Amino acid sequence: MAAYLLSSQTILDIAKKLNLPAERWLRAAAERRIVEDDLCISAVVPMTVMHTVDSWISEARRRRGGNLAALGAMKRNAERFLGGFMQNERIIPMDHKIAERWGDLLDMDLVFADEDGSTYGAGSAEKVELATASVGRDGRPFIYVDRLQDAHALVPNLVVECPIAFAASREAGK
């Protein structure tokens, strides 16, 4: 059976508990015979996710935003979800093959786009995720679950399953 590597963005979208495509993708996994042990994350994902949520909370406090309760709930959801990966040893550490691919990716200008179309350069942590997915485990790359980006095509051996496209295809099939 194929193994899947969930991106930081996918984990964030699941933790929001807003019925976003990533959450629908996860709910449909069992129907597709994807079991919990087939779902993994890169070693950088817990740090990336928690840092992102904490920065959103700090910004909301600074602006005295009314979404602090929702962000607090999101943080608890993320901690709980990530905890399952930690307890079941589904966090993929960086080995020398992943580090070598990461080094290659650091030299590449990978440009991603947000949902609103604004572009940004893939950061170091995102490149670790891409390296982990493309190198994989035991010589078999992971299927990377992330919002599809044109730059994904530049990463050797990277196979992407986009939750947005998946959810759209399920809706169209109804």
Side-chain angles (χ1 to χ4, degrees):
M1 186 47 112
Y4 295 80
L5 192 84
L6 306 182
S7 72
S8 294
Q9 185 60 56
T10 297
I11 301 292
L12 286 165
D13 287 349
I14 290 167
K16 290 174 184 174
K17 299 266 187 194
L18 296 173
N19 197 33
L20 296 173
E23 195 175 355
R24 295 196 304 273
W25 182 94
L26 183 64
R27 280 196 307 269
E31 297 169 20
R32 299 170 58 207
R33 297 198 169 123
I34 299 170
V35 297
E36 188 175 89
D37 285 344
D38 294 333
L39 303 175
C40 300
I41 58 175
S42 169
V44 298
V45 168
M47 174 275 310
T48 302
V49 167
M50 297 315 298
H51 174 76
T52 300
V53 174
D54 286 340
S55 69
W56 291 345
I57 290 171
S58 293
E59 182 64 17
R61 282 188 182 129
R62 189 181 70 72
R63 292 182 178 207
R64 300 184 193 275
N67 61 344
L68 276 172
L71 288 170
M74 181 183 177
K75 182 173 182 173
R76 289 186 297 279
N77 294 338
E79 289 169 338
R80 200 170 19 257
F81 191 62
L82 290 169
F85 289 93
M86 292 176 206
Q87 290 175 346
N88 297 316
E89 298 181 16
R90 294 182 291 131
I91 298 177
I92 307 303
M94 183 184 282
D95 62 17
H96 73 281
K97 290 179 184 175
I98 294 170
E100 194 173 280
R101 176 68 49 84
W102 176 55
D104 294 342
L105 295 177
L106 286 174
D107 291 336
M108 296 173 67
D109 185 26
L110 300 175
V111 178
F112 287 176
D114 280 332
E115 289 176 344
D116 66 3
S118 59
T119 60
Y120 63 95
S124 180
E126 288 167 309
K127 289 179 178 182
V128 171
E129 291 181 32
L130 294 167
T132 304
S134 65
V135 169
R137 174 173 55 190
D138 301 326
R140 293 178 49 204
F142 288 99
I143 296 171
Y144 190 50
V145 181
D146 192 27
R147 196 177 313 145
L148 190 60
Q149 302 283 343
D150 290 342
H152 285 151
L154 302 174
V155 179
N157 300 322
L158 185 67
V159 176
V160 178
E161 186 163 306
C162 176
I164 297 167
F166 175 82
S169 70
R170 283 183 65 101
E171 289 298 316
K174 285 186 176 182

